[in-house]
């Protein structure tokens, strides 16, 4: 059965998965949602006998149904191979009564790799399928992490170019080094004299400029977007929830059909929404536990049914979750409104205009699958310390938010359903905060701190960090925020 995608905000004609991946966002500003969610067509037992790539195919073929078997399998083999540092792709580790699903074994040691390693292949395949012969140009502004993950995904992928702008003095030295050493002739990294907001609005301006679009088209280029609302990022994230379940089944940790809970450290709501889709596809899931840091908009939403972004923005030790507008929540809102695009559009209008909206009691009833929790900075540090003291296992700050929320959830609810915690980053990615939580000396240069953490955790420094010691700097462009377009034109060779 063909799964089609439509906008959350209007009832325009549904399009195929490959078209949705190419478009990114719908013309009306809405997000693409599947008009029906397919059910897994292999038994959980069968899936338990498959490796990561095979499970990925079984899940993705259902959601991206206009891709042929050969197309999808090519994308999957290119994405999940020895660019991951373990053949399991996402290993699981049991610690203190929960299973940690390690989503950080890809090239940038954080979970965004799970989707960004495959997105470029899905995009170029989608372009070919739709007879788009233009080179895809990805333009991104980054505050550090997403930019590197996108660069690593698109590097060397034929038919694509990627240009990343970052605030020259607004990212950590390790993050800057990671980006500036990026290989691949199709990659371009540019520091701007300005902050993240300047980089972001500069990119938006170039992206929406009709004259630029035309100039690009004349030269055989077209912009596309790699951001987290793309269907091509959402669907690959469903895979590891199904995979995690089937590993527990294979290991005899759960009965066939027995339920599990997923605990997800949440920012933009993409990762946990993927877990919700996994449940809709028939995976036996009891609760989806949504863990927030001190920016607890989502916790409040699950408590009250009111989404209110009008509040102080707090900088925390889990920066990838410092978000007040969780874009992917819009998809859930659409589903629980009974697929009512007019209602969804109205909520989103209120969010833009007033920063707040309130869902109906009927919609709230459909949120029973979710439990919300949040962790303060002290809770987060305590969770890192606790798990280390009990198990010798070191987790990163984002994962620690989830660990803390799960601990409290279990104590308060008495729910003993086996739980899988999405472990979204390697502790080496946030080594300063992690070492501080462990009460260690943090007054060391980045790369030495990594060695110290490795000694504490009893693990090797990941290649992504180790290789920075010797990697060549390959990018050196710095520009003012008014010069961003000129730099794009220069890199693409289309100066007028
Ligand atoms: C992006 C990110 C998150 C949040 O995931 P969402 O899909 O935005 O909810 C959590 N942890 C880490 C390390 C991340 O990079």
């Amino acid at each position: 059965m063909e799964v089609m995608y439509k906008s959350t905000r209007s009832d325009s004609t549904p399009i195929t998965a490959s078209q949705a991946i190419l478009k990114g966002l719908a013309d009306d500003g809405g997000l693409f949602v599947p008009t029906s969610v397919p059910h897994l067509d292999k038994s959980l037992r069968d899936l338990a006998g498959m490796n990561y790539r095979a499970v990925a195919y079984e899940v993705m073929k259902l959601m991206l149904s206009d891709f042929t078997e050969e197309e999808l399998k090519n994308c999957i083999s290119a994405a999940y191979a020895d660019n991951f540092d373990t053949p399991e792709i996402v290993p699981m580790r049991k610690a203190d009564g929960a299973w940690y699903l390690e989503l950080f074994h890809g090239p940038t040691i954080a979970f965004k790799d799970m989707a960004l390693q495959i997105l470029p292949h899905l995009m170029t395949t989608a372009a070919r399928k739709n007879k788009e012969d233009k080179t895809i140009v990805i333009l991104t502004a980054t505050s550090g992490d997403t930019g590197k993950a996108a660069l690593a995904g698109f590097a060397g992928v034929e038919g694509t170019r990627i240009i990343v702008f970052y605030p020259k003095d607004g990212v950590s030295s390790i993050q800057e080094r990671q980006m500036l050493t990026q290989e691949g002739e199709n990659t371009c990294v540019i520091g701007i004299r300005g902050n993240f907001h300047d980089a972001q609005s500069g990119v938006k301006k170039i992206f929406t400029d009709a004259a630029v679009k035309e100039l690009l088209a004349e030269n055989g280029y077209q912009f596309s977007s790699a951001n987290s609302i793309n269907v091509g990022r959402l669907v690959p994230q469903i895979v590891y929830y199904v995979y995690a379940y089937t590993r527990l089944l294979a290991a005899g940790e759960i009965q066939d059909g027995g339920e599990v809970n997923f605990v997800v450290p949440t920012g933009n709501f993409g990762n946990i929404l993927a877990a919700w889709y996994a449940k809709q596809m028939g995976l036996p899931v009891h609760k989806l536990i949504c863990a927030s840091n001190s920016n607890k908009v989502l916790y409040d939403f699950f408590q009250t049914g009111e989404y209110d972004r009008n509040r102080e923005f707090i900088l925390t030790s889990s920066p990838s979750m410092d978000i007040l507008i969780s874009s992917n929540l819009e998809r859930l809102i659409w589903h629980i409104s009974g697929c009512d695009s007019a209602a969804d559009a109205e909520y989103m209008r209120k969010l833009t205009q007033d920063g707040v909206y309130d869902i109906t009691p009927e919609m709230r009833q459909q949120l029973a699958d979710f439990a919300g929790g949040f962790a303060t900075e002290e809770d987060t540090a305590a969770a890192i310390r606790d798990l280390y003291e009990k198990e010798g296992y070191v987790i990163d700050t984002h994962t620690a938010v989830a660990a803390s929320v799960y601990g409290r959830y279990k104590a308060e609810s008495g729910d003993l359903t086996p739980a899988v915690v999405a472990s979204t980053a390697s502790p080496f990615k946030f080594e300063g905060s992690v070492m501080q939580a462990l009460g260690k000396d943090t007054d060391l240069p980045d790369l030495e701190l990594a060695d110290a953490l490795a000694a504490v955790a009893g693990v090797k420094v990941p290649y992504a960090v180790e290789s920075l010691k010797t990697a060549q700097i390959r990018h050196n462009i710095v520009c003012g925020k008014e010069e961003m377009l000129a730099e794009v034109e220069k890199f693409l060779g289309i100066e007028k």
Side-chain angles (χ1 to χ4, degrees):
M1 189 193 64
E2 185 95 300
V3 173
M4 302 295 283
Y5 289 80
K6 69 172 288 293
S7 168
T8 45
R9 296 194 194 172
S10 67
D11 289 318
S12 51
T13 316
I15 59 176
T16 62
S18 67
Q19 288 166 337
I21 288 170
L22 282 177
K23 279 186 80 85
L25 202 64
D27 293 330
D28 56 21
L31 277 56
F32 288 113
V33 275
T35 54
S36 65
V37 181
H39 209 271
L40 291 169
D41 65 358
K42 291 279 183 340
S43 74
L44 295 167
R45 265 287 160 228
D46 284 347
L47 293 166
M50 298 180 189
N51 68 12
Y52 192 84
R53 282 179 292 277
V55 173
Y57 173 69
E58 292 302 329
V59 173
M60 290 173 62
K61 74 172 190 197
L62 299 170
M63 291 292 281
L64 308 179
S65 59
D66 71 322
F67 285 69
T68 67
E69 175 169 355
E70 189 191 1
E71 286 169 342
L72 258 189
K73 285 188 170 167
N74 284 341
C75 291
I76 290 166
S77 327
Y80 306 113
D82 54 13
N83 46 340
F84 281 72
D85 67 10
T86 161
E88 293 163 278
I89 308 298
V90 288
M92 290 172 85
R93 158 101 183 226
K94 188 174 189 186
D96 196 25
W99 280 271
Y100 286 80
L101 177 65
E102 296 187 349
L103 302 172
F104 56 76
H105 289 269
T108 76
I109 59 175
F111 104 98
K112 304 264 183 328
D113 288 333
M114 297 310 301
L116 280 166
Q117 284 295 303
I118 194 164
L119 178 71
H121 301 287
L122 294 173
M123 255 185 194
T124 50
T125 307
R128 241 183 347 261
K129 292 180 78 61
N130 290 283
K131 312 257 183 296
E132 296 269 9
D133 53 5
K134 295 196 182 67
T135 297
I136 291 169
V137 180
I138 300 291
L139 212 54
T140 304
T142 187
S143 52
D145 280 345
T146 309
K148 175 61 190 180
L151 282 164
F154 281 89
V157 175
E158 215 168 299
T160 72
R161 299 284 190 100
I162 177 164
I163 306 167
V164 171
F165 290 98
Y166 72 97
K168 179 67 190 146
D169 299 315
V171 302
S172 78
S173 74
I174 245 186
Q175 285 173 328
E176 182 173 45
R177 223 179 147 73
Q178 279 187 315
M179 289 193 279
L180 297 186
T181 53
Q182 178 63 51
E183 298 185 355
E185 289 305 313
N186 65 333
T187 67
C188 176
V189 180
I190 301 173
I192 68 151
R193 292 185 286 271
N195 58 26
F196 172 61
H197 178 76
D198 297 326
Q200 201 173 31
S201 38
V203 161
K204 206 167 186 178
K205 211 167 124 203
I206 299 172
F207 214 88
T208 50
D209 185 326
V212 175
K213 193 173 167 183
E214 201 170 308
L215 177 65
L216 249 67
E218 283 166 13
N219 289 276
Y221 291 110
Q222 73 177 64
F223 284 133
S224 196
S225 162
N227 70 21
S228 91
I229 48 83
N230 195 303
V231 165
R233 281 185 63 177
L234 184 63
V235 171
Q237 295 182 171
I238 302 172
V239 173
Y240 46 76
Y241 291 105
V242 176
Y243 182 75
Y245 183 96
T246 59
R247 287 325 93 170
L248 294 182
L249 181 57
E253 298 283 356
I254 50 174
Q255 302 282 317
D256 195 348
E259 291 187 324
V260 298
N261 288 337
F262 288 123
V263 192
V264 186
T266 299
N268 220 359
F269 209 76
N271 200 2
I272 194 165
L273 184 73
W276 183 81
Y277 276 119
K279 178 168 184 169
Q280 308 309 304
M281 293 178 82
L283 197 69
V285 180
H286 179 49
K287 288 281 179 188
L288 300 160
I289 302 167
C290 176
S292 300
N293 64 22
S294 303
N295 294 294
K296 58 184 186 57
V297 193
L298 287 165
Y299 168 77
D300 293 340
F301 171 70
F302 287 118
Q303 291 297 107
T304 65
E306 181 184 79
Y307 192 95
D308 185 359
R309 64 149 302 182
N310 300 317
R311 61 180 74 206
E312 191 195 346
F313 177 76
I314 302 166
L315 290 172
T316 73
S317 58
S318 45
S320 301
M321 298 159 66
D322 290 344
I323 285 175
L324 293 181
I325 298 188
S326 302
S327 323
N328 269 295
L329 183 67
E330 180 173 351
R331 289 190 163 106
L332 183 67
I333 295 291
W334 180 80
H335 282 287
I336 64 172
S337 72
C339 311
D340 184 342
S341 305
D344 177 89
E346 179 58 15
Y347 288 129
M348 295 307 133
R349 193 193 61 76
K350 282 190 183 142
L351 182 61
T352 307
Q353 195 173 306
D354 312 327
V356 53
Y357 63 85
D358 225 331
I359 61 170
T360 64
E362 294 72 37
M363 286 168 73
R364 280 193 72 187
Q365 274 174 14
Q366 294 188 63
L367 294 178
D369 290 348
F370 289 90
F374 72 98
T376 63
E377 290 297 277
E378 294 76 50
D379 295 337
T380 306
I384 294 174
R385 214 158 37 236
D386 272 8
L387 204 59
Y388 180 64
E389 280 165 11
K390 282 187 191 146
E391 304 270 1
Y393 184 44
V394 180
I395 54 174
D396 100 290
T397 45
H398 302 74
T399 310
V401 167
S404 168
V405 165
Y406 177 57
R408 194 165 304 138
Y409 168 82
K410 196 157 77 166
E412 285 172 5
S413 66
D415 177 3
L416 296 177
T417 307
V420 174
V421 177
S423 183
T424 51
S426 158
F428 288 89
K429 191 127 202 173
F430 300 96
E431 54 186 19
S433 306
V434 170
M435 288 294 264
Q436 195 176 6
L438 294 173
K440 306 289 180 194
D441 180 13
T442 55
D443 204 11
L444 292 171
D446 291 335
L447 297 173
E448 284 174 42
L449 190 58
D451 290 332
L453 173 56
V456 168
V459 297
K460 279 203 326 207
V461 176
Y463 178 75
V465 177
E466 188 65 41
S467 60
L468 286 180
K469 289 183 183 167
T470 52
Q472 295 287 316
I473 300 287
R474 298 187 67 261
H475 304 267
N476 60 7
I477 304 171
V478 177
C479 75
K481 49 192 182 192
E482 271 68 46
E483 296 151 14
M484 290 170 65
L485 177 57
E487 290 297 337
V488 170
E489 293 179 350
K490 208 185 292 176
F491 178 62
L492 298 177
I494 56 172
E495 294 123 297
K496 269 186 279 198

